[in-house]
Amino acid sequence: MSIFAGSATASVFCETIQTLSARSDNISLALPGSASVVRCTRSLMLDGGTQLHCGWSFTYRASAASEAFEGLVEAVTQCLGDGAVVTTDLNVNHPDFYDLQTFRAGGQEIGVSLKDKAALSETYVFLRVTLPK
């Protein structure tokens, strides 16, 4: 099941992703097709670039978290187009569930991950966007 209400919602998400390179530190991002908005944070990378990190929390192993993850994967796929190279991260030696899809296209890298945190009784969906220098 897609979390998109339609292509207009996907288009707004893509436009937002494309404008994230502005150097503002006050960035909020809505989960596509949802009213759930989070404040995103920036981090410095070793090569001098920056990354933007956004995360949404859900009840532990809620189906809404899986739907949000699948919706973000679908949205990023639509944003970057057919030329994007997608890699799935290898399994980790960890008792909680973890899935990471990394997209690369045109010098941009976007990661979408789903992480269960049993100790916190929460599941998280994360979006990581590598911003150009």
Side-chain angles (χ1 to χ4, degrees):
M1 177 172 134
S2 173
I3 63 172
F4 285 115
S7 62
T9 303
S11 176
V12 170
F13 177 78
C14 294
E15 289 172 18
T16 302
I17 291 294
Q18 293 305 316
T19 62
L20 290 177
S21 60
R23 296 295 178 205
S24 170
D25 287 329
N26 187 16
I27 297 173
S28 295
L29 186 64
L31 192 59
S34 168
S36 179
V37 176
V38 295
R39 183 160 188 265
C40 303
T41 58
R42 290 188 187 277
S43 64
L44 294 175
M45 296 171 32
L46 292 175
D47 68 359
T50 60
Q51 292 182 342
L52 185 71
H53 301 269
C54 308
W56 295 266
S57 65
F58 296 87
T59 303
Y60 185 67
R61 296 202 170 162
S63 61
S66 296
E67 291 169 11
F69 172 76
E70 291 169 12
L72 272 175
V73 167
E74 179 182 320
V76 171
T77 300
Q78 288 178 12
C79 293
L80 296 180
D82 294 333
V85 175
V86 182
T87 55
T88 301
D89 203 20
L90 300 174
N91 290 333
V92 294
N93 185 15
H94 196 278
D96 293 345
F97 179 79
Y98 169 78
D99 191 357
L100 170 64
Q101 302 289 310
T102 303
F103 300 81
R104 291 179 185 86
Q108 185 172 34
E109 181 177 290
I110 299 176
V112 179
S113 60
L114 176 68
K115 297 179 183 182
D116 285 338
K117 299 290 186 179
L120 300 175
S121 296
E122 292 181 320
T123 295
Y124 291 90
V125 174
F126 292 106
L127 175 71
R128 177 187 48 80
V129 180
T130 300
L131 304 172
K133 292 184 207 177

